[in-house]
């Protein structure tokens, strides 16, 4: 009975962490989402494993730490990929604008040659 109480308490604490983070006013970055998600999953998994050996709190703490580190690594990689994609997209848009400007200049030159 005490074991279930601890697991429920830890689960509620993790859920509260997500609620507080979600209400911070600014949207979470991919890196932050990965860290929080990893910590939450790690804490829950650690609590379950820890409960099997009689120490759900310790298991949750270790799981949250390991999950948070892993979540940060994954979230950081995803954030870096998103940033690179955004930069590439910006460059593509800039090049498309330049192509459109050159196309308009060519049309103007053709029009001038036809009138001469």
């Amino acid at each position: 009975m005490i074991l279930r109480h601890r697991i429920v308490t830890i689960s509620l604490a993790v859920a509260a962490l997500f609620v507080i983070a979600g209400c911070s006013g600014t949207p979470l970055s991919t890196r932050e989402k990965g860290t929080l998600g990893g910590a939450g999953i790690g804490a829950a998994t650690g609590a379950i494993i820890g409960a099997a050996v009689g120490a759900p709190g310790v298991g949750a703490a270790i799981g949250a730490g390991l999950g948070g580190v892993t979540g940060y690594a994954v979230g950081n990689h995803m954030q870096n990929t998103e940033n690179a994609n955004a930069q590439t997209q910006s460059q593509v848009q800039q090049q498309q604008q330049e192509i459109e400007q050159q196309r308009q200049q060519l049309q103007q030159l053709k029009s001038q040659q036809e009138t001469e």
Side-chain angles (χ1 to χ4, degrees):
M1 187 69 167
I2 293 173
L3 174 64
R4 285 189 179 159
H5 179 66
R6 286 183 181 172
I7 291 173
V8 169
T9 302
I10 291 168
S11 298
L12 289 174
V14 171
L17 192 83
F18 280 108
V19 169
I20 291 169
C23 296
S24 66
T26 58
L28 295 177
S29 70
T30 301
R31 185 177 297 116
E32 293 166 337
K33 289 177 189 175
T35 303
L36 285 174
I41 292 169
T45 304
I48 292 168
I49 293 170
V53 295
V58 173
I62 293 170
L66 292 175
V69 169
T70 303
Y72 174 82
V74 171
N76 187 52
H77 175 72
M78 291 173 66
Q79 183 74 54
N80 290 341
T81 300
E82 286 177 9
N83 292 346
N85 288 342
Q87 184 178 9
T88 300
Q89 184 62 32
S90 175
Q91 290 172 344
V92 166
Q93 288 175 345
Q94 182 181 9
Q95 290 172 353
Q96 286 175 337
Q97 288 174 348
E98 289 175 14
I99 289 170
E100 180 59 26
Q101 288 174 352
Q102 290 174 353
R103 187 190 65 74
Q104 289 175 1
Q105 289 173 349
L106 283 172
Q107 286 290 24
Q108 288 175 351
L109 287 172
K110 284 181 182 180
S111 294
Q112 286 176 356
Q113 286 179 348
E114 291 174 357
T115 58
E116 291 177 359

